[in-house]
Amino acid sequence: MTPQNSAPKLRGTRTILLSVALGLAAFTPILIAFTNPTTASAQTPAPASPQDLTGTWQGTLHAGQDLRTVLKVSKTDAGGYKADFYSIDQGGQPFPVTKITLEGTTVKYSLTPFDLKYEGKLSADGKTIEGTSTQGGGALPLNFTRATPETEWSIPKPPPPIPPMAANADPSFEVATIKPSKPDDQRKAFIVNGNQFHIINEPLTQIISFAFDVQAKQVIGLPDWADTDRFDIDGKPDGEGAPDGKQWKIMIQKLLADRFVLKFHKEKRELSVYVLSISKTGQKMTKDESDPNGLPGLFFRGGLGKLNVRNALMTDFTGLMQSAVLDRPVLDQTGLTGRWDFTLNWTPDESQFKGMGVTIPPPTESADAPPNLYTAIQEQIGLKLEATKAPADVMVIDHVEKPSEN
């Protein structure tokens, strides 16, 4: 695929549970799959005329590395077009194109989950399309050639999905390595890759927040190094199958107790919080019924404030907001059940992303700049975020140590 920042896949491949990629090149490639894709047909109908998009198109995106891109286009029952999108050098999984049109000689398509748009011109003989792929505010040329059976690139088969771990399993990490992160590493992520878990460049405060679903202000008594020392952690469960989100977090909790000698007790205290509820206009998100037992995908791509959410519970979203974006706990009072897909695009201010250890640049004066977070949440996904005070659980740290050697 041509997305340009970070790198997750889902369901037997990879899913990113929380990722913030900072300081990367504008066109760092990424590949993300949120469903178990079906295999596209090797045969595509022949075009009815040179000005018909039906068929297989292929081109190479030069984004720091060469990424071979394939677009398989067919007709809909209504006479329009539909297409599957492949990035061969990033795994080759098919992604359904959100919308594809041909108006005159202008070809446009979009993949909404990846904030990706393309516009090009179809040649008079119908054999080439010259255009530009845009994602995350960056644009790169991408020219397509109509392929024939003899010239079509081979698309790799996706790896088979790993079956889920038993719901009643209580796994631990069979093998886990913990090491200091490289000082110049700008990545920050929690990633599941099949039955392997990776934490990249995260401090203990963020690891605790992720494992226990708490915000930094709900954790009391951590030493200073818990904010400054960053760790890379790789682990594999001791049981068969792919753990679900709850099982992964239980495994990390066990790892913290074992390797960081974490001990704590819980209390209830009144804290300043944010409450997430449904706005008067009603929610505007898309219900995701593709994999009710799958892991969620929540990731920033193209910059802070450009959030993509896939197959996520509302508590997944509030957990991300309180751990990565906001300075206090976020309570879910939407009453929404099930899993959701949406994108959220806002202009961050200086009060946000403190938990990620980054400094927000001054806001742009551009008239095209996205709105602030609170307006974006209401206008773009039909929810409402309000500050108030409410009783909340806190973790009081009784003991913690720097991690033991591998």
Side-chain angles (χ1 to χ4, degrees):
M1 174 168 214
T2 56
Q4 298 134 330
N5 248 6
S6 205
K9 307 176 197 172
L10 189 67
R11 269 256 10 218
T13 48
R14 294 173 88 186
T15 180
I16 199 154
L17 303 183
L18 166 60
S19 171
V20 180
L22 307 173
L24 300 181
F27 303 114
T28 304
I30 104 176
L31 178 60
I32 310 161
F34 290 94
T35 59
N36 205 14
T38 57
T39 302
S41 170
Q43 301 295 323
T44 53
S49 73
Q51 297 304 299
D52 184 356
L53 283 182
T54 301
T56 299
W57 298 86
Q58 54 195 35
T60 301
L61 184 79
H62 304 289
Q65 70 182 91
D66 289 345
L67 301 175
R68 291 172 295 165
T69 302
V70 174
L71 199 66
K72 288 185 176 288
V73 184
S74 58
K75 284 288 185 72
T76 66
D77 293 339
Y81 291 105
K82 60 183 178 179
D84 283 324
F85 184 101
Y86 304 76
S87 183
I88 293 178
D89 300 302
Q90 294 178 300
Q93 287 86 350
F95 297 91
V97 171
T98 306
K99 184 178 182 180
I100 180 168
T101 60
L102 173 62
E103 297 181 2
T105 61
T106 300
V107 178
K108 294 182 180 181
Y109 67 75
S110 61
L111 281 83
T112 300
F114 308 118
D115 190 25
L116 185 150
K117 296 180 180 179
Y118 178 87
E119 181 171 339
K121 292 292 184 181
L122 179 65
S123 63
D125 61 8
K127 294 183 178 180
T128 61
I129 304 171
E130 293 188 2
T132 301
S133 178
T134 304
Q135 185 184 38
L140 287 175
L142 176 59
N143 301 327
F144 287 101
T145 300
R146 190 189 294 273
T148 66
E150 294 74 27
T151 62
E152 276 192 56
W153 292 332
S154 175
I155 297 175
K157 293 182 179 180
I162 298 174
M165 180 175 283
N168 61 354
D170 183 23
S172 300
F173 281 113
E174 178 183 39
V175 177
T177 62
I178 303 175
K179 56 185 178 181
S181 303
K182 295 180 180 179
D184 59 348
D185 195 345
Q186 297 297 306
R187 302 170 300 160
K188 294 173 68 66
F190 296 82
I191 300 175
V192 172
N193 186 357
N195 66 344
Q196 299 183 43
F197 196 93
H198 308 281
I199 297 177
I200 302 174
N201 195 33
E202 294 286 358
L204 178 60
T205 50
Q206 288 298 318
I207 299 172
I208 290 175
S209 292
F210 176 83
F212 292 94
D213 292 317
V214 294
Q215 203 269 344
K217 287 188 176 179
Q218 291 173 272
V219 185
I220 298 171
L222 282 172
D224 291 342
W225 62 263
D227 274 324
T228 57
D229 292 14
R230 297 178 182 272
F231 303 96
D232 293 343
I233 301 177
D234 298 301
K236 182 178 180 181
D238 57 4
E240 296 294 326
D244 61 22
K246 182 178 180 180
Q247 288 169 328
W248 280 120
K249 292 187 177 185
I250 290 173
M251 292 166 63
I252 299 170
Q253 293 174 17
K254 293 179 180 179
L255 180 72
L256 291 170
D258 179 36
R259 302 288 291 277
F260 289 81
V261 198
L262 177 65
K263 298 177 182 179
F264 64 93
H265 67 275
K266 290 186 177 181
E267 296 180 4
K268 205 85 166 180
R269 298 187 184 183
E270 186 172 85
L271 299 176
S272 295
V273 301
Y274 287 105
V275 170
L276 186 71
S277 59
I278 299 178
S279 70
K280 293 180 179 179
T281 60
Q283 67 86 12
K284 303 176 183 179
M285 303 171 292
T286 301
K287 197 72 175 286
D288 190 323
E289 298 178 343
S290 62
D291 188 1
N293 298 313
L295 294 171
L298 304 99
F299 52 96
F300 294 93
R301 187 190 59 250
L304 300 178
K306 299 180 183 296
L307 176 63
N308 287 259
V309 176
R310 296 292 173 266
N311 198 41
L313 302 168
M314 279 294 98
T315 51
D316 295 324
F317 175 52
T318 56
L320 172 68
M321 297 305 291
Q322 70 178 17
S323 64
V325 180
L326 298 168
D327 62 349
R328 63 187 72 175
V330 182
L331 306 182
D332 172 29
Q333 294 185 3
T334 63
L336 295 172
T337 59
R339 295 173 179 270
W340 303 88
D341 296 346
F342 60 89
T343 57
L344 189 62
N345 189 12
W346 80 92
T347 299
D349 62 39
E350 67 279 357
S351 71
Q352 297 166 13
F353 292 101
K354 298 294 186 182
M356 307 310 298
V358 299
T359 301
I360 301 299
T364 176
E365 299 296 329
S366 172
D368 297 330
N372 63 46
L373 173 63
Y374 310 95
T375 301
I377 284 178
Q378 186 160 337
E379 293 181 348
Q380 297 171 20
I381 62 176
L383 302 182
K384 182 171 60 175
L385 190 66
E386 294 181 304
T388 185
K389 285 194 173 184
D393 290 325
V394 297
M395 292 176 60
V396 181
I397 305 301
D398 299 315
H399 183 85
V400 69
E401 299 177 6
K402 291 190 178 184
S404 58
E405 295 293 328
N406 295 320

